[in-house]
Amino acid sequence: MKKYYDADVDWSHIAGKTVAVIGYGSQGRAQAANLRDSGLAVIVGVRPGRSFEAASCDGFSTMPVADAVRKADILAMLVPDESAAEIFRRDMLPWLHDGQTLVFAHGFNIHYGQIVPPPNVDVVMVAPKGVGPQVRRLYLEDSGVASLVAVHQDVTGSAKQTALAFAKGIGSARSVIMESTFADETETDLFGEQTVICGGVVNLMKAAYDTLVAAGYEPEMAYYECMHELKLVVDLLYEGGFTKMHDSVSKTAGYGGLTRGPRVVGPKTRAAMQEILAEIQSGAFAREWLLENQVNRPQYTALVRQEKESELERVGTAVRRIISDGK
Ligand SMILES: NC(=O)c1ccc[n+]([C@@H]2O[C@H](COP(=O)([O-])OP(=O)(O)OC[C@H]3O[C@@H](n4cnc5c(N)ncnc54)[C@H](OP(=O)(O)O)[C@@H]3O)[C@@H](O)[C@H]2O)c1
């Protein structure tokens, strides 16, 4: 994987250009602020409402999406992936002009053919590997969140240099900019979300909690052991990998994990991971999610409600209250 740092980026590819940040949510707010602090002219394109108020309040020239598209050289697509195709078709496509650069923060809509840009614009990806508030916080600490960059369409001959400069503008060159493709970023991102970050780990915690509670242990204790303490290990892994984890946890914990972990995540889980990856690669997951959005997300809404109203969530709220009361 090719990597780029500050000295590898030629700022002249973006200097003096106007960036329109389309959408002012988690990434939009952070990236707009970082790009402005990096010296670029930034305007914000959003619909009337909360985001419009927030962007104006933060001192940005804020306008409808179509107006921002007409005025800018670089367009950062920072709206939710499930709404992006509609916004693109309605508010952007008619006003795109030669030489502009479309910047995506995730490959989903290009990779799955939901957005097909016209042939007269550059299309690149700058995907930060962190949530919006972290993109802003690290930038303010003279650091940055790593980003993946990729080029989908290069009309001007300098699409990659523009992408690298944009990544530098949001702070990523202070960490690392890694070259990838829209396909790889999309598929690995979805796979990580589903099998680990939002799927695998969460369900592992639920199953472990249920096992302890069914065996008669106190729910609060089960919550502490199976959910709350995960943060300690995640922090250690983030800072120094398995080495730091094993240097920090007890040998009993380390031995138990090394010998029992593979029984928990065994061949069945690995087979399920293969199936899930195949659904992502074939586009089956994308199709399912896009159709779910077309009918206003009934399944998603019901599942989120069930999770929010679960016994586990009630116990978690109580545990956090107990901890904060003690402070
Ligand atoms: N969340 C992350 O940290 C993260 C990390 C890496 C990459 N990404 C990528 O970054 C992109 C943006 O994600 P995000 O999480 O920052 O999105 P988000 O927080 O959900 O941002 C929503 C923004 O889009 C606007 N919006 C929503 N629907 C709209 C519509 N129909 N018309 C016009 N504006 C609309 C919202 O305006 P209103 O207030 O008016 O609804 C709001 O300003 C996505 O491609 C995502 O995959 C996100």
Side-chain angles (χ1 to χ4, degrees):
M1 187 179 249
K2 204 161 177 191
K3 300 180 182 64
Y4 301 88
Y5 301 93
D6 205 55
D8 304 317
V9 181
D10 181 353
W11 187 247
S12 70
H13 287 282
I14 206 170
K17 297 207 168 153
T18 298
V19 180
V21 168
I22 310 298
Y24 201 71
S26 176
Q27 286 294 331
R29 187 169 206 165
Q31 294 194 24
N34 291 5
L35 292 164
R36 179 169 65 183
D37 289 354
S38 293
L40 294 172
V42 178
I43 58 178
V44 174
V46 274
R47 61 185 171 187
R50 216 173 33 164
S51 293
F52 197 102
E53 301 305 320
S56 307
C57 214
D58 291 343
F60 288 102
S61 171
T62 309
M63 60 199 79
V65 173
D67 292 349
V69 171
R70 274 195 286 258
K71 289 182 179 175
D73 307 298
I74 294 171
L75 311 166
M77 276 301 272
L78 297 172
V79 293
D81 297 307
E82 60 276 12
S83 312
E86 192 196 331
I87 296 168
F88 181 80
R89 270 191 297 273
R90 190 190 55 218
D91 301 329
M92 299 180 71
L93 188 55
W95 292 279
L96 288 176
H97 50 266
D98 289 358
Q100 285 179 309
T101 302
L102 265 174
V103 184
F104 288 86
H106 180 32
F108 189 98
N109 279 290
I110 292 289
H111 180 51
Y112 292 119
Q114 297 305 298
I115 291 180
V116 181
N120 60 334
V121 297
D122 285 353
V123 181
V124 303
M125 180 184 73
V126 177
K129 293 288 101 188
V131 295
Q134 194 183 17
V135 169
R136 182 61 180 154
R137 182 172 54 77
L138 290 186
Y139 183 93
L140 290 173
E141 291 169 6
D142 283 332
S143 174
V145 164
S147 278
L148 294 174
V149 299
V151 174
H152 174 69
Q153 195 165 285
D154 186 4
V155 186
T156 61
S158 55
K160 185 164 139 187
Q161 283 71 25
T162 307
L164 291 173
F166 185 97
K168 178 179 166 118
I170 63 168
S172 297
R174 299 162 174 179
S175 170
V176 61
I177 305 169
M178 295 169 282
E179 193 165 347
S180 183
T181 64
F182 276 68
D184 285 2
E185 187 276 340
T186 304
E187 292 173 2
T188 55
D189 194 63
L190 294 175
F191 182 78
E193 287 166 1
Q194 294 174 20
T195 59
V196 185
I197 304 165
C198 302
V201 167
V202 171
N203 280 279
L204 205 59
M205 292 189 294
K206 285 180 188 173
Y209 171 90
D210 288 345
T211 304
L212 284 184
V213 172
Y217 294 96
E218 286 285 341
E220 283 85 356
M221 276 183 68
Y223 191 91
Y224 262 114
E225 298 300 338
C226 301
M227 286 190 71
H228 204 76
E229 287 195 10
L230 185 71
K231 182 177 180 344
L232 307 178
V233 168
V234 170
D235 286 347
L236 294 170
L237 288 170
Y238 183 85
E239 287 160 20
F242 296 136
T243 305
K244 181 148 189 183
M245 181 187 79
H246 283 294
D247 288 348
S248 308
V249 302
S250 71
K251 291 198 170 36
T252 312
Y255 176 78
L258 286 166
T259 55
R260 270 57 182 172
R263 281 165 57 188
V264 177
V265 179
K268 276 192 181 165
T269 303
R270 287 174 184 267
M273 286 184 175
Q274 290 294 343
E275 272 174 35
I276 289 166
L277 181 58
E279 288 167 10
I280 292 168
Q281 289 170 330
S282 71
F285 170 77
R287 189 164 52 246
E288 178 186 322
W289 176 230
L290 290 166
L291 289 175
E292 170 76 1
N293 276 285
Q294 278 179 19
V295 288
N296 279 329
R297 300 189 281 271
Q299 195 187 3
Y300 169 81
T301 306
L303 290 171
V304 170
R305 189 175 56 235
Q306 278 170 28
E307 208 156 71
K308 285 185 176 174
E309 291 173 357
S310 67
E311 171 72 7
L312 194 55
E313 185 75 337
R314 195 188 57 70
V315 173
T317 306
V319 165
R320 286 187 290 279
R321 194 172 309 121
I322 292 164
I323 293 168
S324 68
D325 284 352
K327 281 183 181 160

